Amino acid sequence: MSSIIEHTKPVPSAAVLEPFGGGGRALMLGHVHPDADVLGTLLGLGLALEGRGWSVTYGGPHPAPALLAFLPGIDRYRRLTTLDGPVDVVVLTDCPNPQRTEGLIDQARRAGKVIVNIDHHPDNRRYGDVNWIDASAAATGEMVYELLTALGAPLTPAIATNLFTAIHTDTGSFRYSNVTTRTFTIAAALVAAGARPEVVSESLYERRPADALRWLGAALARVEVSEDGRLGWLALPAGLVPERVVESEELVNYPRSVASVRVACLLRERDGQVKVSLRGKGDVDVQKIAAQFGGGGHVNAAGCTVAGPLTDAMRAVLDAARRAIDESRAS
Ligand code: AMP
Ligand code: MN
Ligand code: MN
């Protein structure tokens, strides 16, 4: 493509639709530690393209988590270290930063293919040939729904389930401040097309192994809240709680659930690094805290990865969070 296309409205422009006209080969490329928004949208769009005769492959730097094994088509999603064979279009969804493909996007670019970047993160780096960035969307799932509608692609129950799960998880089960009337309108259309809310909820939250609650208890015993009540955090040293429990429990929501807490922080140590999740409630921009450590995200949900050991990472991140809270009080 000769020029970079940028579009920021909720409904896709003709230039955004153009790469999906006709047919061909598409690679649906995921970001590191894939979540339901990226996987649901890659699968939802990919399955729709297959329905139009495209040949589609799915993959990314990390495998899909076991928790999301119920997403229709997830068995097609593979861990990739290299890209095999030429493709016409490479689609990235929910991926604000090309570094979050661990180099796979550079391979895609060297092959001279069209890269389509569909995302709702305000800090998206516009790394595609076509960049559709709608920061007003609660989830990339809303955008892919609009894309399929504009393409006139039929919504099968499999596609609807993928998109519904993407929206369900990024909105905290339709509870967060990113939820709009459009979120519910799209969710209603997805349920009409065959997504089943009770099956999605049961798959996400009610398939705990028998020992999970004991581990959850051990983790929650470590939640701390600052003296002024505004900062809540949970720091987990490597190996203390099984990774499968940490991955499936959205642990950062517990310090966030304390009434006085303005910023919640989960710090997970693994392989000498500390993965940090930050959550806010509207008055402190947690993306700005994450950005100080090379991370990113949204105003109320952001993350970064910091070098260990855990105590050093904790001090640095919690200090930055305290400063951000103090600044928000001053303003
Ligand atoms: P998480 O806490 O992992 O659920 O992530 C919350 C939000 O922060 C998501 O929108 C992620 O895209 C973003 N995020 C998490 N980790 C990073 C990171 N290391 N770099 C950039 N963005 C991140
Ligand atoms: Mn994501
Ligand atoms: Mn998302």
Side-chain angles (χ1 to χ4, degrees), residues 96 100 121 250 275-279 294-298 301-305:
R100 286 172 73 73
H121 289 89
E250 279 281 327
K275 187 178 175 334
V276 179
S277 291
L278 290 157
R279 297 292 184 271
H298 309 270
C304 55
T305 302

Side-chain angles (χ1 to χ4, degrees), residues 116-330:
V116 182
N117 167 16
I118 302 173
D119 187 24
H120 69 131
H121 289 89
D123 60 340
N124 187 287
R125 309 291 204 275
R126 273 77 170 165
Y127 53 80
D129 301 298
V130 176
N131 301 280
W132 178 26
I133 315 301
D134 175 14
S136 74
T140 313
E142 290 186 6
M143 302 175 70
V144 170
Y145 170 83
E146 299 287 1
L147 177 59
L148 299 188
T149 303
L151 288 170
L155 290 177
T156 62
I159 294 170
T161 300
N162 274 298
L163 298 184
F164 185 87
T165 307
I167 297 169
H168 183 108
T169 53
D170 262 28
T171 57
S173 313
F174 303 94
R175 286 180 295 128
Y176 297 154
S177 59
N178 56 357
V179 172
T180 63
T181 54
R182 185 160 63 114
T183 311
F184 286 112
T185 304
I186 292 172
L190 294 172
V191 172
R196 293 180 54 193
E198 83 285 16
V199 171
V200 171
S201 300
E202 195 264 344
S203 304
L204 288 172
Y205 310 119
E206 294 176 10
R207 290 194 183 172
R208 287 185 169 109
D211 64 352
L213 293 182
R214 235 182 331 272
W215 286 116
L216 183 58
L220 295 186
R222 303 176 67 94
V223 169
E224 296 193 56
V225 176
S226 62
E227 218 159 85
D228 69 359
R230 293 177 166 253
L231 180 60
W233 70 92
L234 171 52
L236 290 177
L240 187 89
V241 175
E243 202 52 40
R244 61 180 163 82
V245 175
V246 179
E247 267 171 7
S248 60
E249 295 291 349
E250 279 281 327
L251 288 173
V252 69
N253 286 335
Y254 292 92
R256 186 188 192 275
S257 71
V258 175
S260 62
V261 164
R262 307 330 293 162
V263 174
C265 183
L266 169 70
L267 301 109
R268 311 155 46 173
E269 185 183 39
R270 197 174 58 178
D271 304 328
Q273 292 200 309
V274 179
K275 187 178 175 334
V276 179
S277 291
L278 290 157
R279 297 292 184 271
K281 293 179 179 172
D283 34 10
V284 178
D285 184 348
V286 296
Q287 187 209 305
K288 287 192 180 145
I289 303 172
Q292 293 172 39
F293 301 94
H298 309 270
V299 173
N300 286 327
C304 55
T305 302
V306 184
L310 182 61
T311 45
D312 292 359
M314 257 176 84
R315 192 175 315 117
V317 173
L318 297 181
D319 277 356
R322 279 197 188 89
R323 278 196 303 275
I325 292 169
D326 288 345
E327 277 162 29
S328 79
R329 292 165 94 175

Side-chain angles (χ1 to χ4, degrees), residues 26-28 39 42-43 46-48 50-51 54-60 64 69 71-80:
L27 167 64
M28 314 303 290
L39 292 171
L42 291 177
L43 289 166
L47 294 173
E50 287 180 37
W54 285 65
S55 157
V56 184
T57 50
Y58 307 80
L71 291 179
I74 196 77
D75 48 311
R76 307 272 307 277
Y77 189 89
R78 289 181 305 133
R79 181 166 187 211
L80 299 173

